[in-house]
Coordinates of all heavy atoms in Angstrom, one line a residue:
M1 N -41.1 17.2 12.7 CA -41.6 16.2 11.7 C -43.0 15.7 12.2 O -43.1 15.5 13.4 CB -40.6 15.1 11.6 CG -40.9 14.2 10.5 SD -39.7 12.8 10.2 CE -38.4 13.7 9.4
Q2 N -43.9 15.6 11.4 CA -45.2 15.1 11.7 C -45.2 13.6 12.1 O -44.4 12.9 11.7 CB -46.2 15.3 10.6 CG -46.5 16.7 10.3 CD -47.5 16.8 9.1 OE1 -47.6 15.9 8.3 NE2 -48.2 17.9 9.0
Q3 N -46.2 13.2 13.0 CA -46.3 11.8 13.4 C -46.3 10.9 12.3 O -45.7 9.8 12.3 CB -47.5 11.7 14.4 CG -47.6 10.3 15.0 CD -46.5 10.0 16.0 OE1 -46.0 10.9 16.6 NE2 -46.2 8.8 16.2
E4 N -47.1 11.2 11.3 CA -47.2 10.3 10.1 C -45.9 10.0 9.4 O -45.6 8.9 9.1 CB -48.2 10.8 9.1 CG -49.6 10.9 9.6 CD -50.0 12.2 10.3 OE1 -49.1 13.1 10.4 OE2 -51.1 12.3 10.8
N5 N -45.1 11.1 9.3 CA -43.8 11.0 8.6 C -42.8 10.2 9.5 O -42.0 9.4 9.0 CB -43.3 12.3 8.3 CG -44.0 13.0 7.2 OD1 -44.7 12.4 6.4 ND2 -44.0 14.4 7.2
L6 N -42.9 10.4 10.8 CA -42.0 9.7 11.7 C -42.3 8.2 11.7 O -41.4 7.3 11.6 CB -42.2 10.2 13.1 CG -41.5 11.5 13.5 CD1 -42.0 12.0 14.9 CD2 -40.0 11.4 13.4
E7 N -43.6 7.8 11.7 CA -44.0 6.4 11.6 C -43.6 5.8 10.3 O -43.1 4.7 10.3 CB -45.5 6.3 11.9 CG -45.9 6.6 13.3 CD -47.3 6.3 13.6 OE1 -48.0 5.7 12.8 OE2 -47.7 6.6 14.7
R8 N -43.8 6.5 9.2 CA -43.4 6.0 7.9 C -41.9 5.7 7.8 O -41.4 4.7 7.4 CB -43.8 6.9 6.8 CG -43.5 6.4 5.4 CD -43.9 7.4 4.3 NE -45.2 7.9 4.4 CZ -45.5 9.2 4.7 NH1 -44.6 10.0 5.0 NH2 -46.8 9.6 4.8
F9 N -41.1 6.7 8.3 CA -39.7 6.6 8.3 C -39.2 5.4 9.2 O -38.4 4.7 8.8 CB -39.1 7.9 8.8 CG -37.6 7.9 8.9 CD1 -36.8 8.1 7.7 CD2 -36.9 7.7 10.1 CE1 -35.4 8.0 7.8 CE2 -35.5 7.7 10.1 CZ -34.8 7.9 9.0
A10 N -39.8 5.3 10.3 CA -39.5 4.2 11.2 C -39.8 2.9 10.6 O -38.9 1.9 10.6 CB -40.2 4.3 12.6
F11 N -40.9 2.7 10.0 CA -41.3 1.4 9.4 C -40.4 1.1 8.2 O -39.9 0.0 8.1 CB -42.8 1.4 8.9 CG -43.3 0.1 8.6 CD1 -43.8 -0.7 9.6 CD2 -43.2 -0.4 7.3 CE1 -44.2 -2.0 9.4 CE2 -43.7 -1.7 7.1 CZ -44.2 -2.5 8.1
L12 N -40.1 2.1 7.4 CA -39.2 1.9 6.2 C -37.8 1.5 6.7 O -37.1 0.7 6.0 CB -39.2 3.1 5.3 CG -40.5 3.3 4.5 CD1 -40.5 4.6 3.8 CD2 -40.9 2.2 3.6
Y13 N -37.4 2.1 7.8 CA -36.1 1.7 8.3 C -36.0 0.3 8.9 O -35.1 -0.4 8.7 CB -35.7 2.7 9.5 CG -34.4 2.4 10.1 CD1 -33.2 2.8 9.5 CD2 -34.4 1.8 11.4 CE1 -32.0 2.5 10.1 CE2 -33.2 1.5 12.0 CZ -32.0 1.9 11.3 OH -30.8 1.6 11.9
L14 N -37.1 -0.1 9.5 CA -37.2 -1.4 10.1 C -37.4 -2.6 9.1 O -36.9 -3.7 9.4 CB -38.3 -1.5 11.2 CG -38.1 -0.7 12.4 CD1 -39.4 -0.6 13.3 CD2 -36.9 -1.2 13.2
C15 N -38.1 -2.3 8.0 CA -38.4 -3.4 7.1 C -37.3 -3.7 6.2 O -36.3 -2.9 6.0 CB -39.7 -3.1 6.4 SG -39.6 -1.8 5.2
G16 N -37.4 -4.8 5.5 CA -36.4 -5.2 4.5 C -36.6 -4.5 3.2 O -37.5 -3.8 2.9
E17 N -35.6 -4.8 2.3 CA -35.6 -4.1 1.0 C -36.8 -4.4 0.1 O -37.4 -3.5 -0.5 CB -34.4 -4.6 0.2 CG -34.2 -3.9 -1.1 CD -32.9 -4.3 -1.9 OE1 -32.1 -5.0 -1.3 OE2 -32.8 -4.0 -3.0
K18 N -37.3 -5.7 0.2 CA -38.5 -6.1 -0.6 C -39.7 -5.3 -0.1 O -40.5 -4.7 -0.9 CB -38.8 -7.6 -0.5 CG -40.0 -8.0 -1.2 CD -40.3 -9.4 -0.9 CE -41.7 -9.8 -1.5 NZ -42.2 -11.0 -1.0
D19 N -39.9 -5.2 1.2 CA -41.0 -4.4 1.7 C -40.9 -3.0 1.4 O -41.9 -2.3 1.1 CB -41.2 -4.7 3.2 CG -41.6 -6.1 3.5 OD1 -42.2 -6.7 2.6 OD2 -41.4 -6.6 4.7
R20 N -39.7 -2.4 1.5 CA -39.5 -1.0 1.1 C -39.9 -0.8 -0.3 O -40.6 0.2 -0.7 CB -38.1 -0.6 1.3 CG -37.8 0.0 2.7 CD -36.4 0.7 2.7 NE -35.3 -0.2 2.4 CZ -34.8 -1.0 3.3 NH1 -35.2 -1.0 4.6 NH2 -33.8 -1.8 3.0
D21 N -39.5 -1.7 -1.2 CA -39.9 -1.6 -2.6 C -41.4 -1.6 -2.8 O -41.9 -0.9 -3.6 CB -39.2 -2.7 -3.4 CG -37.7 -2.4 -3.6 OD1 -37.2 -1.3 -3.4 OD2 -37.0 -3.4 -4.1
I22 N -42.0 -2.5 -2.1 CA -43.5 -2.6 -2.2 C -44.2 -1.3 -1.7 O -45.0 -0.8 -2.4 CB -44.0 -3.8 -1.4 CG1 -43.6 -5.1 -2.0 CG2 -45.5 -3.8 -1.2 CD1 -43.8 -6.4 -1.1
L23 N -43.8 -0.8 -0.6 CA -44.4 0.4 0.0 C -44.1 1.6 -0.8 O -44.9 2.6 -0.8 CB -43.9 0.6 1.4 CG -44.5 -0.5 2.4 CD1 -43.8 -0.4 3.7 CD2 -46.0 -0.3 2.6
L24 N -42.9 1.6 -1.5 CA -42.6 2.8 -2.3 C -43.1 2.7 -3.8 O -42.8 3.5 -4.6 CB -41.1 3.0 -2.3 CG -40.5 3.4 -0.9 CD1 -39.0 3.4 -1.0 CD2 -41.0 4.7 -0.4
G25 N -43.8 1.6 -4.0 CA -44.5 1.4 -5.4 C -43.5 0.9 -6.4 O -43.9 0.9 -7.6
R26 N -42.4 0.3 -6.0 CA -41.5 -0.3 -7.0 C -41.8 -1.7 -7.3 O -41.3 -2.2 -8.3 CB -40.0 -0.2 -6.4 CG -39.6 1.2 -6.2 CD -38.2 1.2 -5.6 NE -37.8 2.5 -5.2 CZ -37.0 2.8 -4.2 NH1 -36.4 1.8 -3.6 NH2 -36.7 4.0 -3.9
R27 N -42.6 -2.3 -6.5 CA -43.1 -3.7 -6.7 C -44.6 -3.7 -6.4 O -45.1 -2.9 -5.6 CB -42.4 -4.7 -5.7 CG -41.0 -5.0 -5.9 CD -40.6 -6.1 -5.0 NE -39.1 -6.3 -5.1 CZ -38.5 -7.4 -4.7 NH1 -39.2 -8.4 -4.2 NH2 -37.2 -7.5 -4.9
E28 N -45.2 -4.7 -7.0 CA -46.7 -4.8 -6.8 C -47.0 -5.4 -5.5 O -46.3 -6.4 -5.1 CB -47.3 -5.7 -7.9 CG -48.8 -5.7 -7.9 CD -49.3 -6.5 -9.0 OE1 -48.7 -6.7 -10.1 OE2 -50.5 -7.0 -8.9
M29 N -48.0 -4.9 -4.8 CA -48.4 -5.4 -3.5 C -49.4 -6.5 -3.7 O -50.4 -6.3 -4.4 CB -48.9 -4.3 -2.6 CG -49.3 -4.8 -1.2 SD -50.0 -3.6 -0.1 CE -48.5 -2.6 0.2
T30 N -49.2 -7.7 -3.1 CA -50.2 -8.8 -3.1 C -51.0 -8.7 -1.8 O -50.7 -7.9 -0.9 CB -49.5 -10.1 -3.1 OG1 -48.7 -10.3 -1.9 CG2 -48.5 -10.3 -4.3
F31 N -52.1 -9.4 -1.8 CA -52.9 -9.4 -0.6 C -52.1 -9.9 0.6 O -52.2 -9.4 1.7 CB -54.2 -10.3 -0.8 CG -55.0 -10.3 0.5 CD1 -55.7 -9.2 0.8 CD2 -55.1 -11.5 1.2 CE1 -56.5 -9.2 2.0 CE2 -55.9 -11.5 2.4 CZ -56.6 -10.4 2.8
I32 N -51.3 -10.9 0.4 CA -50.4 -11.4 1.5 C -49.5 -10.3 2.0 O -49.3 -10.2 3.3 CB -49.7 -12.7 1.1 CG1 -50.7 -13.8 0.9 CG2 -48.6 -13.1 2.1 CD1 -50.1 -15.0 0.2
D33 N -48.9 -9.6 1.1 CA -48.1 -8.4 1.5 C -48.9 -7.4 2.3 O -48.4 -6.9 3.4 CB -47.4 -7.7 0.3 CG -46.5 -8.6 -0.5 OD1 -45.8 -9.4 0.2 OD2 -46.4 -8.4 -1.7
F34 N -50.0 -7.1 1.8 CA -50.9 -6.1 2.5 C -51.3 -6.6 3.9 O -51.1 -5.8 4.9 CB -52.2 -5.9 1.7 CG -53.2 -5.1 2.3 CD1 -53.1 -3.7 2.3 CD2 -54.4 -5.7 2.9 CE1 -54.1 -2.9 2.9 CE2 -55.4 -4.9 3.4 CZ -55.2 -3.5 3.5
D35 N -51.7 -7.8 4.0 CA -52.0 -8.4 5.3 C -50.8 -8.3 6.3 O -51.0 -7.9 7.4 CB -52.6 -9.8 5.1 CG -53.2 -10.3 6.4 OD1 -54.0 -9.6 7.1 OD2 -53.0 -11.5 6.7
R36 N -49.7 -8.8 5.8 CA -48.5 -8.8 6.6 C -48.0 -7.4 7.0 O -47.7 -7.2 8.2 CB -47.4 -9.5 5.9 CG -46.1 -9.7 6.6 CD -45.1 -10.5 5.8 NE -45.0 -10.2 4.4 CZ -44.3 -9.2 3.9 NH1 -43.6 -8.4 4.7 NH2 -44.3 -8.9 2.6
L37 N -48.0 -6.5 6.1 CA -47.5 -5.2 6.4 C -48.4 -4.4 7.4 O -47.9 -3.7 8.3 CB -47.3 -4.4 5.1 CG -46.1 -4.9 4.2 CD1 -46.1 -4.2 2.9 CD2 -44.8 -4.7 4.9
T38 N -49.7 -4.5 7.2 CA -50.6 -3.9 8.1 C -50.5 -4.5 9.5 O -50.6 -3.8 10.5 CB -52.1 -3.8 7.6 OG1 -52.5 -5.2 7.3 CG2 -52.2 -3.0 6.4
Y39 N -50.4 -5.8 9.5 CA -50.2 -6.5 10.8 C -48.9 -6.0 11.5 O -49.0 -5.7 12.7 CB -50.1 -8.0 10.6 CG -49.8 -8.8 11.9 CD1 -50.8 -9.1 12.9 CD2 -48.5 -9.1 12.2 CE1 -50.4 -9.7 14.0 CE2 -48.1 -9.7 13.4 CZ -49.1 -10.0 14.3 OH -48.8 -10.7 15.5
L40 N -47.8 -5.9 10.8 CA -46.6 -5.5 11.4 C -46.7 -4.0 11.9 O -46.2 -3.7 13.0 CB -45.4 -5.6 10.4 CG -45.0 -7.0 10.2 CD1 -44.0 -7.1 9.0 CD2 -44.4 -7.6 11.4
A41 N -47.3 -3.2 11.1 CA -47.4 -1.8 11.5 C -48.2 -1.7 12.8 O -47.9 -0.9 13.7 CB -48.1 -1.0 10.4
D42 N -49.3 -2.5 12.9 CA -50.1 -2.5 14.1 C -49.3 -3.1 15.3 O -49.4 -2.5 16.4 CB -51.4 -3.3 13.8 CG -52.3 -3.3 15.0 OD1 -52.7 -2.2 15.5 OD2 -52.7 -4.4 15.5
F43 N -48.6 -4.1 15.0 CA -47.8 -4.7 16.1 C -46.7 -3.8 16.7 O -46.5 -3.7 17.9 CB -47.0 -6.0 15.5 CG -46.1 -6.6 16.5 CD1 -46.7 -7.5 17.5 CD2 -44.8 -6.4 16.5 CE1 -45.9 -8.1 18.4 CE2 -43.9 -7.1 17.4 CZ -44.5 -7.9 18.4
F44 N -46.1 -3.0 15.8 CA -45.1 -2.0 16.2 C -45.8 -0.7 16.8 O -45.1 0.2 17.2 CB -44.2 -1.6 15.1 CG -43.2 -2.7 14.7 CD1 -43.1 -3.1 13.4 CD2 -42.5 -3.3 15.6 CE1 -42.2 -4.1 13.0 CE2 -41.6 -4.4 15.3 CZ -41.5 -4.7 14.0
G45 N -47.1 -0.6 16.8 CA -47.8 0.5 17.3 C -47.8 1.7 16.4 O -47.9 2.9 16.9
L46 N -47.6 1.5 15.1 CA -47.5 2.6 14.2 C -48.9 2.8 13.5 O -49.1 2.5 12.3 CB -46.5 2.3 13.1 CG -45.1 2.1 13.7 CD1 -44.1 1.6 12.6 CD2 -44.5 3.3 14.4
S47 N -49.9 3.2 14.3 CA -51.3 3.2 13.9 C -51.5 4.2 12.7 O -52.3 3.9 11.8 CB -52.2 3.5 15.1 OG -51.9 4.8 15.6
R48 N -50.9 5.3 12.7 CA -51.1 6.2 11.6 C -50.5 5.7 10.3 O -51.1 5.8 9.2 CB -50.5 7.6 11.9 CG -51.3 8.3 13.0 CD -50.8 9.7 13.3 NE -51.6 10.2 14.4 CZ -51.4 11.4 14.8 NH1 -50.5 12.2 14.3 NH2 -52.1 11.9 15.8
F49 N -49.4 5.1 10.4 CA -48.8 4.4 9.2 C -49.7 3.3 8.7 O -49.9 3.1 7.5 CB -47.4 4.0 9.4 CG -46.7 3.4 8.2 CD1 -46.4 4.1 7.1 CD2 -46.5 2.0 8.2 CE1 -45.8 3.5 6.0 CE2 -46.0 1.4 7.0 CZ -45.6 2.2 6.0
N50 N -50.2 2.5 9.7 CA -51.0 1.4 9.3 C -52.3 1.9 8.6 O -52.6 1.3 7.5 CB -51.5 0.7 10.6 CG -52.2 -0.6 10.4 OD1 -52.3 -1.1 9.3 ND2 -52.8 -1.1 11.4
M51 N -52.9 3.0 9.0 CA -54.0 3.5 8.4 C -53.7 4.1 7.0 O -54.5 4.0 6.0 CB -54.7 4.6 9.2 CG -55.4 4.1 10.4 SD -56.6 2.8 10.1 CE -57.7 3.6 9.0
E52 N -52.5 4.6 6.9 CA -52.0 5.1 5.6 C -51.9 4.0 4.5 O -52.4 4.1 3.4 CB -50.7 5.8 5.7 CG -50.1 6.3 4.4 CD -48.7 6.9 4.6 OE1 -48.5 7.6 5.7 OE2 -47.9 6.7 3.7
V53 N -51.3 2.9 5.0 CA -51.2 1.7 4.1 C -52.6 1.2 3.8 O -52.9 0.9 2.6 CB -50.3 0.6 4.7 CG1 -50.3 -0.7 3.9 CG2 -48.9 1.1 4.9
W54 N -53.4 1.0 4.8 CA -54.8 0.5 4.6 C -55.5 1.4 3.6 O -56.1 0.9 2.7 CB -55.5 0.5 6.0 CG -56.9 0.0 5.9 CD1 -58.0 0.7 5.7 CD2 -57.3 -1.4 6.1 NE1 -59.1 -0.1 5.8 CE2 -58.7 -1.4 6.0 CE3 -56.6 -2.6 6.3 CZ2 -59.4 -2.6 6.1 CZ3 -57.3 -3.7 6.4 CH2 -58.7 -3.7 6.3
N55 N -55.5 2.7 3.8 CA -56.3 3.6 2.9 C -55.8 3.6 1.5 O -56.6 3.7 0.5 CB -56.3 5.0 3.5 CG -57.1 5.1 4.7 OD1 -58.1 4.4 4.9 ND2 -56.8 6.1 5.6
Q56 N -54.5 3.4 1.3 CA -53.9 3.5 0.0 C -54.2 2.2 -0.8 O -54.3 2.2 -2.1 CB -52.4 3.6 0.0 CG -52.0 5.0 0.4 CD -50.5 5.1 0.4 OE1 -49.7 4.1 0.3 NE2 -50.0 6.3 0.6
H57 N -54.4 1.0 -0.1 CA -54.4 -0.2 -0.9 C -55.7 -1.0 -0.7 O -55.9 -2.1 -1.3 CB -53.2 -1.1 -0.5 CG -51.9 -0.4 -0.8 ND1 -51.4 -0.3 -2.0 CD2 -51.0 0.2 0.0 CE1 -50.3 0.3 -2.0 NE2 -50.0 0.6 -0.8
I58 N -56.6 -0.6 0.2 CA -57.8 -1.4 0.5 C -58.7 -1.7 -0.7 O -59.2 -2.8 -0.8 CB -58.6 -0.8 1.7 CG1 -59.6 -1.8 2.2 CG2 -59.2 0.5 1.3 CD1 -59.1 -3.1 2.7
E59 N -58.8 -0.7 -1.6 CA -59.6 -0.9 -2.8 C -59.2 -2.1 -3.6 O -60.1 -2.8 -4.2 CB -59.6 0.4 -3.6 CG -60.2 1.6 -3.0 CD -61.7 1.4 -2.8 OE1 -62.4 0.9 -3.7 OE2 -62.2 1.9 -1.8
M60 N -57.9 -2.4 -3.7 CA -57.4 -3.5 -4.5 C -57.8 -4.9 -3.9 O -58.0 -5.9 -4.6 CB -55.9 -3.5 -4.6 CG -55.4 -2.3 -5.4 SD -53.6 -2.3 -5.7 CE -52.9 -3.2 -4.3
F61 N -58.0 -4.9 -2.5 CA -58.2 -6.2 -1.9 C -59.6 -6.4 -1.2 O -59.7 -7.3 -0.5 CB -57.1 -6.3 -0.8 CG -55.7 -6.2 -1.3 CD1 -54.9 -5.1 -0.9 CD2 -55.3 -7.1 -2.3 CE1 -53.6 -5.0 -1.5 CE2 -54.0 -7.0 -2.8 CZ -53.2 -5.9 -2.4
T62 N -60.5 -5.5 -1.5 CA -61.8 -5.7 -0.9 C -62.5 -7.0 -1.2 O -63.0 -7.7 -0.3 CB -62.8 -4.5 -1.4 OG1 -62.2 -3.3 -1.0 CG2 -64.1 -4.7 -0.8
P63 N -62.3 -7.6 -2.5 CA -62.9 -8.9 -2.7 C -62.2 -10.0 -1.8 O -62.9 -10.9 -1.3 CB -62.6 -9.2 -4.1 CG -62.4 -7.9 -4.8 CD -61.8 -7.0 -3.7
Q64 N -61.0 -9.9 -1.5 CA -60.3 -10.9 -0.7 C -60.7 -10.8 0.8 O -60.7 -11.8 1.5 CB -58.8 -10.8 -0.7 CG -58.2 -11.3 -2.0 CD -58.0 -10.2 -3.1 OE1 -58.7 -9.2 -3.0 NE2 -57.1 -10.4 -4.0
L65 N -61.2 -9.7 1.2 CA -61.6 -9.5 2.6 C -63.1 -9.9 2.8 O -63.6 -9.9 3.9 CB -61.5 -8.0 3.0 CG -60.1 -7.5 3.0 CD1 -60.1 -6.0 3.2 CD2 -59.3 -8.1 4.1
G66 N -63.7 -10.3 1.7 CA -65.1 -10.8 1.9 C -66.2 -9.8 1.9 O -67.3 -10.0 2.3
N67 N -65.9 -8.6 1.4 CA -66.9 -7.5 1.4 C -67.5 -7.4 0.0 O -66.9 -7.6 -1.0 CB -66.3 -6.2 1.8 CG -65.8 -6.2 3.2 OD1 -66.4 -6.9 4.0 ND2 -64.9 -5.4 3.6

């Protein structure tokens, strides 16, 4: 299994149902969710998964980041 898939699987296993729904596209992601989920992925050392989440959702939140 590739590193990206392992990290995704690990994070989805560790997080709660609400976060799984957000990451799987069943719920809308807010900026607070985005900030929290990328922080947690970084905290757990899941850098590839963190970048995956960042790349998928950063366009929605560029105004909130001050860019």
Side-chain angles (χ1 to χ4, degrees):
M1 190 179 283
Q2 292 180 337
Q3 183 70 25
E4 295 87 2
N5 291 334
L6 285 172
E7 289 186 10
R8 182 181 311 109
F9 180 77
F11 194 86
L12 291 173
Y13 178 78
L14 292 171
C15 69
E17 183 179 349
K18 177 185 173 195
D19 290 337
R20 268 192 300 276
D21 287 346
I22 291 168
L23 291 167
L24 295 174
R26 297 178 191 151
R27 289 187 185 198
E28 186 175 340
M29 183 180 289
T30 65
F31 179 71
I32 292 170
D33 295 325
F34 173 76
D35 191 42
R36 179 175 46 82
L37 292 170
T38 55
Y39 173 83
L40 287 172
D42 185 53
F43 178 80
F44 290 129
L46 305 173
S47 59
R48 291 185 182 180
F49 180 71
N50 187 10
M51 288 307 299
E52 178 183 323
V53 172
W54 181 270
N55 289 332
Q56 286 179 353
H57 301 285
I58 191 60
E59 292 292 322
M60 294 185 333
F61 303 118
T62 302
Q64 285 93 336
L65 294 172
N67 294 336

